[in-house]
Amino acid sequence: MSRRVNAAAGRRSRRTNTLLWMAALAAIIIALIYFEQTEILYILATLGVTALLAVVAMADLHGTEGTVSEPLPADDSAAIGTGIKKQVRSRK
């Protein structure tokens, strides 16, 4: 039971830290807007987008490797109406 209580307390602590960070960053951004420091806001926005792109670039996409080698599904909708024989295509 102690382990379960510790896990819940850890989640609560992380959530509190996250909310504090969000509040602090929001206060900083609001202050920069109020004092019209647009050049600093542009730099922060650029760094934020760069960080997001870095996270996406390093994302683990291991699960998507299997879909490349699978053949394309056969589309016989036109063949049914015109009497053309079934053709199976595969990726090159």
Side-chain angles (χ1 to χ4, degrees):
M1 176 131 174
S2 169
R3 177 190 270 169
R4 191 177 310 163
V5 172
N6 289 339
R11 280 192 300 271
R12 194 173 312 117
S13 173
R14 285 191 301 260
R15 188 177 306 139
T16 303
N17 287 341
T18 301
L19 290 175
L20 287 174
W21 272 105
M22 287 173 45
L25 290 174
I28 290 170
I29 290 171
I30 290 170
L32 289 172
I33 292 171
Y34 180 77
F35 293 115
E36 298 177 358
Q37 298 296 318
T38 55
E39 53 276 344
I40 297 174
L41 287 170
Y42 283 133
I43 292 170
L44 290 176
T46 303
L47 291 175
V49 169
T50 303
L52 178 64
L53 288 174
V55 168
V56 170
M58 294 182 188
D60 184 21
L61 301 176
H62 179 69
T64 61
E65 290 177 7
T67 59
V68 175
S69 63
E70 294 176 1
L72 292 173
D75 183 16
D76 290 337
S77 57
I80 293 171
T82 59
I84 299 173
K85 293 183 180 179
K86 180 178 176 181
Q87 297 178 356
V88 178
R89 297 177 300 172
S90 62
R91 292 184 185 189
K92 294 179 182 179

